[in-house]
Protein backbone atom coordinates (compact mmCIF):
# COMPACT_ATOMS: atom_id res chain seq x y z
CA UNK A 1 0.00 0.00 0.00
CA UNK A 2 1.61 3.34 -1.02
CA UNK A 3 2.63 5.84 1.63
CA UNK A 4 3.09 9.59 1.51
CA UNK A 5 4.87 11.76 4.05
CA UNK A 6 3.66 15.26 4.88
CA UNK A 7 6.09 18.08 5.60
CA UNK A 8 5.22 17.67 9.30
CA UNK A 9 6.53 14.10 9.19
CA UNK A 10 3.08 12.47 9.42
CA UNK A 11 2.84 9.36 7.28
CA UNK A 12 -0.36 9.21 5.24
CA UNK A 13 -1.53 5.79 4.09
CA UNK A 14 -3.05 6.11 0.64
CA UNK A 15 -5.96 4.05 -0.64
CA UNK A 16 -6.52 2.57 2.80
CA UNK A 17 -9.89 1.37 4.13
CA UNK A 18 -12.63 3.98 4.23
CA UNK A 19 -14.20 4.76 7.60
CA UNK A 20 -17.90 5.02 6.88
CA UNK A 21 -19.15 4.27 10.37
CA UNK A 22 -20.48 7.80 10.84
CA UNK A 23 -19.72 7.58 14.58
CA UNK A 24 -18.63 10.56 16.67
CA UNK A 25 -19.33 13.87 15.00
CA UNK A 26 -21.20 12.41 12.02
CA UNK A 27 -20.38 11.21 8.53
CA UNK A 28 -18.64 13.53 6.06
CA UNK A 29 -18.72 12.50 2.42
CA UNK A 30 -15.57 13.52 0.52
CA UNK A 31 -15.87 13.68 -3.28
CA UNK A 32 -12.37 13.98 -4.75
CA UNK A 33 -10.79 12.23 -7.74
CA UNK A 34 -7.18 12.94 -6.74
CA UNK A 35 -6.20 10.02 -4.49
CA UNK A 36 -3.53 11.81 -2.45
CA UNK A 37 -5.79 14.77 -1.67
CA UNK A 38 -8.76 12.54 -0.84
CA UNK A 39 -6.74 10.44 1.59
CA UNK A 40 -5.24 13.49 3.25
CA UNK A 41 -8.72 14.98 3.72
CA UNK A 42 -9.96 11.69 5.08
CA UNK A 43 -7.05 11.39 7.53
CA UNK A 44 -7.57 14.81 9.08
CA UNK A 45 -11.36 14.57 9.21
CA UNK A 46 -11.12 11.14 10.88
CA UNK A 47 -8.66 12.52 13.42
CA UNK A 48 -11.21 15.22 14.23
CA UNK A 49 -13.78 12.54 15.08
CA UNK A 50 -15.78 12.39 11.86
CA UNK A 51 -16.74 9.25 10.00
CA UNK A 52 -15.54 9.62 6.41
CA UNK A 53 -16.64 8.10 3.13
CA UNK A 54 -14.75 8.89 -0.09
CA UNK A 55 -16.10 8.83 -3.63
CA UNK A 56 -14.03 9.71 -6.71
CA UNK A 57 -16.79 9.78 -9.35
CA UNK A 58 -19.58 12.34 -9.55
CA UNK A 59 -22.47 10.02 -10.39
CA UNK A 60 -21.45 7.52 -7.71
CA UNK A 61 -21.11 10.37 -5.21
CA UNK A 62 -24.62 11.63 -5.88
CA UNK A 63 -26.03 8.16 -5.28
CA UNK A 64 -24.02 7.81 -2.05
CA UNK A 65 -25.18 11.19 -0.77
CA UNK A 66 -28.79 10.13 -1.22
CA UNK A 67 -28.09 6.79 0.45
CA UNK A 68 -25.85 7.79 3.38
CA UNK A 69 -27.27 11.23 4.22
CA UNK A 70 -23.96 12.73 5.46
CA UNK A 71 -23.81 15.69 7.85
CA UNK A 72 -21.58 17.57 5.37
CA UNK A 73 -20.13 17.16 1.87
CA UNK A 74 -16.61 18.14 0.79
CA UNK A 75 -17.10 18.44 -2.96
CA UNK A 76 -14.40 18.86 -5.60
CA UNK A 77 -15.65 21.04 -8.45
CA UNK A 78 -13.53 19.52 -11.24
CA UNK A 79 -14.76 15.93 -11.21
CA UNK A 80 -14.84 13.73 -14.32
CA UNK A 81 -18.28 13.23 -15.80
CA UNK A 82 -20.78 14.74 -13.38
CA UNK A 83 -18.91 17.70 -11.86
CA UNK A 84 -19.30 19.23 -8.42
CA UNK A 85 -21.35 22.17 -9.65
CA UNK A 86 -23.96 19.87 -11.18
CA UNK A 87 -24.05 17.66 -8.07
CA UNK A 88 -24.76 20.68 -5.88
CA UNK A 89 -27.38 21.95 -8.30
CA UNK A 90 -29.24 18.62 -8.27
CA UNK A 91 -29.14 18.37 -4.46
CA UNK A 92 -30.59 21.85 -4.02
CA UNK A 93 -33.28 21.16 -6.62
CA UNK A 94 -34.25 18.14 -4.49
CA UNK A 95 -34.44 20.38 -1.38
CA UNK A 96 -31.39 18.65 0.06
CA UNK A 97 -29.62 21.39 2.05
CA UNK A 98 -26.78 19.31 3.47
CA UNK A 99 -23.85 21.73 4.02
CA UNK A 100 -21.52 21.70 0.98
CA UNK A 101 -17.92 22.89 0.94
CA UNK A 102 -16.61 23.31 -2.60
CA UNK A 103 -12.96 22.49 -3.28
CA UNK A 104 -11.45 23.71 -6.53
CA UNK A 105 -8.13 24.29 -8.24
CA UNK A 106 -9.46 27.59 -9.58
CA UNK A 107 -9.70 30.87 -7.67
CA UNK A 108 -11.77 32.89 -10.08
CA UNK A 109 -14.51 35.14 -8.66
CA UNK A 110 -16.96 33.84 -11.26
CA UNK A 111 -16.46 30.29 -9.98
CA UNK A 112 -16.82 31.41 -6.37
CA UNK A 113 -19.99 33.37 -7.04
CA UNK A 114 -21.49 30.51 -9.06
CA UNK A 115 -20.86 28.13 -6.17
CA UNK A 116 -22.53 30.45 -3.69
CA UNK A 117 -25.49 31.04 -5.98
CA UNK A 118 -25.99 27.28 -6.24
CA UNK A 119 -26.22 27.05 -2.46
CA UNK A 120 -22.70 26.05 -1.44
CA UNK A 121 -21.90 26.94 2.18
CA UNK A 122 -18.16 27.45 1.85
CA UNK A 123 -15.34 27.43 -0.68
CA UNK A 124 -11.69 26.29 -0.54
CA UNK A 125 -9.06 26.74 -3.25
CA UNK A 126 -6.24 24.23 -3.77
CA UNK A 127 -3.70 24.05 -2.30
CA UNK A 128 -5.15 24.39 1.19
CA UNK A 129 -4.26 23.23 4.67
CA UNK A 130 -6.17 20.08 5.71
CA UNK A 131 -6.51 21.69 9.15
CA UNK A 132 -8.33 24.58 7.51
CA UNK A 133 -10.68 22.10 5.84
CA UNK A 134 -11.51 20.55 9.24
CA UNK A 135 -12.11 24.03 10.66
CA UNK A 136 -14.46 24.89 7.77
CA UNK A 137 -16.42 21.65 8.23
CA UNK A 138 -16.81 22.34 11.93
CA UNK A 139 -17.90 25.89 11.16
CA UNK A 140 -20.66 24.95 8.70
CA UNK A 141 -21.93 22.30 11.12
CA UNK A 142 -22.03 24.80 13.99
CA UNK A 143 -24.04 27.15 11.80
CA UNK A 144 -26.37 24.32 10.78
CA UNK A 145 -26.99 23.23 14.40
CA UNK A 146 -27.53 26.76 15.70
CA UNK A 147 -28.05 27.89 19.29
CA UNK A 148 -30.15 25.95 21.76
CA UNK A 149 -33.54 27.18 22.92
CA UNK A 150 -36.64 28.55 21.17
CA UNK A 151 -35.65 32.06 20.12
CA UNK A 152 -37.95 33.64 17.56
CA UNK A 153 -37.14 36.69 15.43
CA UNK A 154 -39.84 38.44 13.42
CA UNK A 155 -39.37 41.32 11.02
CA UNK A 156 -42.39 42.20 8.93
CA UNK A 157 -43.67 39.09 7.17
CA UNK A 158 -40.61 36.94 7.93
CA UNK A 159 -40.37 34.71 11.01
CA UNK A 160 -37.06 33.07 11.96
CA UNK A 161 -36.69 30.37 14.64
CA UNK A 162 -33.10 30.31 15.89
CA UNK A 163 -33.54 27.10 17.87
CA UNK A 164 -35.07 25.06 15.06
CA UNK A 165 -33.23 27.00 12.34
CA UNK A 166 -36.37 27.46 10.31
CA UNK A 167 -37.63 30.45 8.33
CA UNK A 168 -41.13 31.32 7.19
CA UNK A 169 -42.22 34.06 4.80
CA UNK A 170 -45.94 34.86 4.83
CA UNK A 171 -46.41 31.65 6.82
CA UNK A 172 -44.72 29.43 4.23
CA UNK A 173 -41.42 27.59 4.93
CA UNK A 174 -38.31 28.83 3.11
CA UNK A 175 -35.29 26.59 2.57
CA UNK A 176 -31.98 28.37 3.25
CA UNK A 177 -28.37 27.29 3.33
CA UNK A 178 -26.59 27.52 6.69
CA UNK A 179 -24.79 30.69 5.61
CA UNK A 180 -27.95 32.33 4.27
CA UNK A 181 -29.71 31.55 7.54
CA UNK A 182 -26.90 33.05 9.63
CA UNK A 183 -26.79 36.20 7.52
CA UNK A 184 -30.55 36.69 7.77
CA UNK A 185 -30.51 35.98 11.52
CA UNK A 186 -27.75 38.53 12.07
CA UNK A 187 -29.63 41.23 10.20
CA UNK A 188 -32.98 40.41 11.84
CA UNK A 189 -31.43 40.38 15.32
CA UNK A 190 -31.07 44.18 15.13
CA UNK A 191 -33.91 45.45 12.91
CA UNK A 192 -33.22 48.76 11.20
CA UNK A 193 -29.49 48.75 11.88
CA UNK A 194 -27.37 49.06 8.75
CA UNK A 195 -24.35 46.73 8.62
CA UNK A 196 -21.48 47.35 6.24
CA UNK A 197 -20.24 44.48 4.09
CA UNK A 198 -17.08 44.33 6.18
CA UNK A 199 -19.10 44.06 9.41
CA UNK A 200 -21.21 41.26 7.94
CA UNK A 201 -18.15 39.40 6.65
CA UNK A 202 -16.59 39.58 10.11
CA UNK A 203 -19.73 38.68 12.08
CA UNK A 204 -21.18 35.96 9.83
CA UNK A 205 -18.18 34.54 7.96
CA UNK A 206 -15.66 35.13 10.72
CA UNK A 207 -13.10 36.92 8.56
CA UNK A 208 -13.22 40.29 6.90
CA UNK A 209 -11.45 39.28 3.69
CA UNK A 210 -13.55 36.18 2.91
CA UNK A 211 -14.29 36.55 -0.81
CA UNK A 212 -14.70 40.33 -0.54
CA UNK A 213 -17.94 42.30 -0.47
CA UNK A 214 -19.23 40.42 -3.51
CA UNK A 215 -19.80 37.39 -1.25
CA UNK A 216 -22.26 39.38 0.88
CA UNK A 217 -24.00 40.76 -2.22
CA UNK A 218 -24.53 37.26 -3.63
CA UNK A 219 -26.03 35.96 -0.37
CA UNK A 220 -28.33 38.97 0.00
CA UNK A 221 -29.52 38.48 -3.58
CA UNK A 222 -30.19 34.81 -2.89
CA UNK A 223 -32.15 35.65 0.28
CA UNK A 224 -34.26 38.20 -1.55
CA UNK A 225 -35.04 35.70 -4.31
CA UNK A 226 -36.11 33.06 -1.79
CA UNK A 227 -38.10 35.37 0.49
CA UNK A 228 -39.81 37.12 -2.43
CA UNK A 229 -42.02 40.12 -1.72
CA UNK A 230 -41.89 39.36 2.01
CA UNK A 231 -38.15 40.07 2.15
CA UNK A 232 -37.28 42.64 4.84
CA UNK A 233 -33.77 43.19 3.46
CA UNK A 234 -32.97 46.78 2.59
CA UNK A 235 -29.96 48.34 0.86
CA UNK A 236 -28.51 51.62 2.03
CA UNK A 237 -26.49 52.73 -0.95
CA UNK A 238 -22.82 53.22 -0.17
CA UNK A 239 -23.22 51.80 3.35
CA UNK A 240 -24.60 48.26 3.49
CA UNK A 241 -27.65 46.16 4.37
CA UNK A 242 -30.34 45.98 7.06
CA UNK A 243 -33.54 44.16 7.93
CA UNK A 244 -36.38 46.66 8.15
CA UNK A 245 -40.15 46.76 7.82
CA UNK A 246 -40.16 50.01 5.87
CA UNK A 247 -38.46 51.24 2.74
CA UNK A 248 -35.73 53.13 4.55
CA UNK A 249 -33.02 51.83 6.85
CA UNK A 250 -31.88 53.54 10.01
CA UNK A 251 -28.13 54.16 10.31
Amino acid sequence: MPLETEPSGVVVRLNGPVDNSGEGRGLVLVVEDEHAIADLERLYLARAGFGVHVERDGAAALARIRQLRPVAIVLDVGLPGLDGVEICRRLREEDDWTPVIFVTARDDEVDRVLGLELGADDYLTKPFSPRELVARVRSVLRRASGPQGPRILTVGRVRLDLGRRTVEADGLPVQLTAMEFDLLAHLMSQPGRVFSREQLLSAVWGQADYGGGRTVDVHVAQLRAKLGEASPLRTTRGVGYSASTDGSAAP
Side-chain angles (χ1 to χ4, degrees):
M1 184 178 296
L3 300 176
E4 181 172 289
T5 303
E6 292 185 84
S8 62
V10 176
V11 176
V12 181
R13 188 174 298 274
L14 302 181
N15 304 320
V18 171
D19 175 8
N20 62 358
S21 64
E23 296 178 356
R25 298 178 182 272
L27 177 69
V28 176
L29 198 142
V30 171
V31 190
E32 172 61 64
D33 64 325
E34 296 186 48
H35 288 246
I37 294 176
D39 281 291
L40 195 60
E41 291 173 349
R42 174 176 53 183
L43 172 67
Y44 275 80
L45 288 166
R47 282 180 177 174
F50 294 100
V52 185
H53 182 88
V54 177
E55 289 290 346
R56 310 186 193 281
D57 170 81
L62 188 59
R64 282 295 193 180
I65 292 167
R66 292 165 173 163
Q67 176 189 9
L68 298 176
R69 297 297 178 186
V71 297
I73 304 164
V74 178
L75 183 57
D76 185 29
V77 172
L79 295 168
L82 193 66
D83 65 18
V85 170
E86 183 60 25
I87 290 173
C88 187
R89 189 196 309 276
R90 293 189 188 185
L91 290 174
R92 297 322 190 214
E93 287 177 350
E94 297 170 5
D95 279 338
D96 184 334
W97 296 93
T98 304
V100 170
I101 299 174
F102 269 148
V103 175
T104 179
R106 296 168 292 183
D107 191 21
D108 188 274
E109 183 185 43
V110 175
D111 295 329
R112 184 186 297 272
V113 170
L114 176 59
L116 296 174
E117 288 179 340
L118 287 173
D121 296 270
D122 212 335
Y123 202 104
L124 277 172
T125 304
K126 299 175 184 177
F128 57 86
S129 163
R131 292 183 178 87
E132 182 180 6
L133 172 64
V134 172
R136 297 291 184 94
V137 171
R138 286 172 170 163
S139 179
V140 297
L141 291 178
R142 279 196 302 270
R143 293 197 296 265
S145 62
Q148 299 300 313
R151 295 179 54 202
I152 308 297
L153 301 176
T154 302
V155 177
R157 295 146 61 186
V158 175
R159 181 180 184 274
L160 185 147
D161 187 324
L162 287 168
R164 297 181 178 180
R165 290 188 69 86
T166 58
V167 175
E168 294 180 354
D170 287 334
L172 299 176
V174 179
Q175 294 287 347
L176 302 180
T177 68
M179 191 67 77
E180 289 167 352
F181 182 94
D182 285 346
L183 176 58
L184 182 61
H186 188 74
L187 291 167
M188 289 180 60
S189 67
Q190 299 183 62
R193 177 180 172 182
V194 180
F195 293 90
S196 69
R197 290 171 176 81
E198 291 75 17
Q199 289 172 328
L200 293 171
L201 285 168
S202 177
V204 180
W205 280 264
Q207 44 188 317
D209 61 348
Y210 182 91
R214 179 65 174 145
T215 298
V216 178
D217 297 340
V218 169
H219 280 80
V220 169
Q222 290 295 104
L223 282 169
R224 283 174 168 156
K226 292 181 178 182
L227 296 172
E229 294 182 358
S231 172
L233 301 184
R234 304 288 182 261
T235 302
T236 299
R237 194 174 300 276
V239 183
Y241 298 105
S242 65
S244 177
T245 55
D246 56 32
S248 61

